[in-house]
Amino acid sequence: MTTLYGIPNCDQVRKARAWLDRHTVSYAFHDFRKSGIMRQQIDLWLQDIEWETLLNRKGSTWRTLSDERKATINDAPGAAALMFEAPTIIKRPVLVLDGRTYVGFDEATYQRIFNT
């Protein structure tokens, strides 16, 4: 099963969903703003990718954190706790396919993983 995680109003999530729809890829969409995200899911992602890749330090959620709070995010457990607390700080979209995790949308990467 293919699952795309994100929030529907994110431009990168929209691009990924449009690409998947255009290429008739069946997938489930998980809106973690509405449905939340389980800590176990974040931990699974972090087994496959680096925490620095999954943590979005360019978005508004990161910018609204205090400098003190930002300074505490220096390892995977700290980042995972923050992502569980504030899921919109997760870089989007997160695509899970056959137990592999892909972060962000890149058309060439999607073409490669879906063999299109």
Side-chain angles (χ1 to χ4, degrees), residues 2 6 10 13-14 16 21 23 32-35 37 42 45 50-51 64 69 75 97 99-100 106:
T2 302
C10 170
V13 171
R14 283 187 204 147
D21 292 342
H23 292 85
F32 52 62
R33 179 172 278 152
K34 285 186 179 178
S35 301
I37 192 77
I42 296 168
W45 294 340
E50 295 292 323
W51 67 270
T64 61
R69 181 69 170 115
D75 59 13
L97 171 67
R100 293 286 322 266
D106 175 68

Side-chain angles (χ1 to χ4, degrees), residues 17-78:
R17 292 181 80 181
W19 190 95
L20 293 168
D21 292 342
R22 259 192 333 275
H23 292 85
T24 62
V25 174
S26 178
Y27 67 96
F29 178 68
H30 182 96
D31 180 347
F32 52 62
R33 179 172 278 152
K34 285 186 179 178
S35 301
I37 192 77
M38 295 187 63
R39 173 64 189 262
Q40 294 87 345
Q41 184 63 60
I42 296 168
D43 292 338
L44 281 173
W45 294 340
L46 292 174
Q47 289 176 11
D48 202 27
I49 56 171
E50 295 292 323
W51 67 270
E52 294 95 339
T53 301
L54 191 58
L55 183 67
N56 182 2
R57 292 186 172 163
K58 295 180 181 176
S60 61
T61 304
W62 179 260
R63 289 192 301 268
T64 61
L65 294 177
S66 69
D67 289 339
E68 294 79 20
R69 181 69 170 115
K70 290 176 186 175
T72 67
I73 310 303
N74 51 22
D75 59 13

Side-chain angles (χ1 to χ4, degrees), residues 74-104:
N74 51 22
D75 59 13
L82 177 60
M83 288 182 247
F84 179 66
E85 175 187 319
T88 57
I89 205 160
I90 298 170
K91 186 174 180 182
R92 302 174 295 270
V94 176
L95 177 75
V96 177
L97 171 67
D98 298 331
R100 293 286 322 266
T101 305
Y102 304 89
V103 179

